[in-house]
Amino acid sequence: QVQVVQSGAEVKKPGASVKISCKASGYTFTSYYLNWVRQAPGQGLEWMGRINPGVGSTSYAQKLQGRVTMTSDTSTSTVYMELSSLRSEDTAVYYCARVKGPDWQDASDSWGQGTVVTVSS
Amino acid sequence: DIQMTQSPSSLSASVGDRVTITCRASQSVSIYLNWYLHKPGKAPKLLIFAASRLESGVPSRFSGSGSGTDFTLTISSLQPEDFATYYCQQSYGTPRTFGGGTTVDIK
């Protein structure tokens, strides 16, 4: 069955970087986009960007441009999301999620368990 | 960016009630509209994609409708496991924006 498993919780200081992994299994890794979504405490869901794991092409939310980098490793079916210059507002639960298909099927159907990132001095 | 506005932001309901949540886009998103259920400490769950398509395994009491700018999620008979926060999300433009959420709690 489709599974998406994320790396564990992180605690970082302001200004540092964090890199979260997301390992996929149970399907053809290179055939489906992966989204990254986060939720800050008490806030709603925020789309951060997406990656095509097969070719490595990415699309990022404008507000994170320059600070976020998404990469993929097809040999291990793993995608990574690195966020740099961390600030307290980046404290959140981060999710990766598989996109079920193109066009009208562009929806996240399988989600990782979430990774808590805490930014604190 | 396409803005997604959900209403109400919260509602109280009882088991068995019919519940309707609306989502309005700031511009047309055609049928590129998804609905998710989210419970604290859990990953979001896809309920509806392409405005009205029921995701596999989701109970038929959930339904979606609409196109263009106005969309609706309906729960025909609320069950105890349905108390959660619901989000709409458009997948027409980038960024793939979410609505602010609608929390359904027990009356």
Side-chain angles (χ1 to χ4, degrees), chain A residues 35 37 39 43-47 50 59-62 95 100 102-114, chain B residues 1 31-32 34 36 38 41-46 48-50 53 55 87 89 91 94-100:
Chain A
N35 281 326
V37 173
Q39 184 179 40
Q43 304 297 309
L45 299 175
E46 178 186 14
W47 183 86
R50 67 191 303 186
S59 176
Y60 302 140
Q62 181 90 11
Y95 295 100
K100 66 186 283 110
D103 301 322
W104 57 273
Q105 297 187 80
D106 189 333
S108 297
D109 65 345
S110 296
W111 293 68
Q113 80 277 22
Chain B
D1 296 1
I31 62 165
Y32 294 81
N34 309 311
Y36 299 90
H38 193 202
K42 302 281 190 180
K45 176 183 176 181
L46 177 64
I48 302 284
F49 65 98
R53 305 275 185 136
E55 173 67 354
Y87 293 92
Q89 182 206 23
S91 55
T94 300
R96 304 284 201 247
T97 41
F98 287 90

Side-chain angles (χ1 to χ4, degrees), chain A:
Chain A
Q1 74 282 21
V2 176
Q3 271 200 303
V4 178
V5 179
Q6 299 178 221
S7 50
E10 303 267 9
V11 179
K12 296 291 182 181
K13 293 194 182 304
S17 296
V18 68
K19 190 171 185 177
I20 302 169
S21 68
C22 172
K23 183 172 176 60
S25 61
Y27 69 96
T28 302
F29 175 69
T30 52
S31 297
Y32 296 81
Y33 281 81
L34 278 152
N35 281 326
W36 287 90
V37 173
R38 69 180 180 179
Q39 184 179 40
Q43 304 297 309
L45 299 175
E46 178 186 14
W47 183 86
M48 300 177 66
R50 67 191 303 186
I51 183 168
N52 178 332
V55 298
S57 58
T58 56
S59 176
Y60 302 140
Q62 181 90 11
K63 68 175 285 188
L64 296 173
Q65 286 276 4
R67 291 206 299 136
V68 67
T69 304
M70 297 175 188
T71 56
S72 70
D73 181 346
T74 56
S75 69
T76 59
S77 299
T78 302
V79 297
Y80 299 90
M81 189 284 298
E82 183 169 23
L83 189 62
S84 62
S85 302
L86 289 169
R87 33 223 197 208
S88 58
E89 310 91 87
D90 295 317
T91 294
V93 180
Y94 289 75
Y95 295 100
C96 66
R98 189 189 80 156
V99 178
K100 66 186 283 110
D103 301 322
W104 57 273
Q105 297 187 80
D106 189 333
S108 297
D109 65 345
S110 296
W111 293 68
Q113 80 277 22
T115 296
V116 176
V117 174
T118 303
V119 182
S120 173
S121 54

Side-chain angles (χ1 to χ4, degrees), chain B residues 6-81:
Chain B
Q6 287 183 234
S7 61
S9 57
S10 65
L11 66 91
S12 296
S14 301
V15 173
D17 283 354
R18 182 180 182 88
V19 170
T20 300
I21 299 168
T22 64
C23 178
R24 175 164 287 176
S26 60
Q27 66 184 75
S28 176
V29 297
S30 184
I31 62 165
Y32 294 81
L33 191 285
N34 309 311
W35 289 97
Y36 299 90
L37 172 157
H38 193 202
K39 295 183 178 181
K42 302 281 190 180
K45 176 183 176 181
L46 177 64
L47 300 173
I48 302 284
F49 65 98
S52 61
R53 305 275 185 136
L54 192 68
E55 173 67 354
S56 176
V58 173
S60 59
R61 63 180 179 273
F62 292 94
S63 63
S65 64
S67 66
T69 61
D70 294 303
F71 301 87
T72 300
L73 173 71
T74 299
I75 310 170
S76 61
S77 178
L78 199 65
Q79 298 302 300
E81 59 268 30

